[in-house]
Amino acid sequence: MKRTNKFEAEEVVILISTGEKVTINKSSYISNMKRYSYTIKENPSMFYFEDELETID
């Protein structure tokens, strides 16, 4: 089973809760939750899941 994440490092996305544009720093797969988490350059101590981010159209 191939896992694919929705966002890549250095990609600029929108943080849904604030509407702020942020840059993905890195992603990691959390196996027990079966989902990806992402850290952002603007606030590296926080992590976000794919459903909290959206692409810029």
Side-chain angles (χ1 to χ4, degrees):
M1 181 173 149
K2 183 179 179 184
R3 293 184 221 131
T4 58
N5 53 330
K6 190 173 178 181
F7 305 108
E8 299 295 326
E10 303 300 321
E11 185 175 351
V12 178
V13 297
I14 296 174
L15 187 57
I16 294 174
S17 61
T18 63
E20 174 185 7
K21 289 183 182 179
V22 295
T23 306
I24 301 291
N25 189 32
K26 68 176 185 171
S27 64
S28 57
Y29 186 73
I30 303 173
S31 58
N32 63 338
M33 294 183 73
K34 298 181 181 172
R35 55 198 299 202
Y36 282 92
S37 69
Y38 298 88
T39 58
I40 58 173
K41 288 186 176 186
E42 292 78 2
N43 189 0
S45 63
M46 292 288 294
F47 69 91
Y48 300 91
F49 293 111
E50 287 183 339
D51 58 348
E52 298 177 283
L53 306 166
E54 66 181 11
T55 58
I56 297 175
D57 294 329

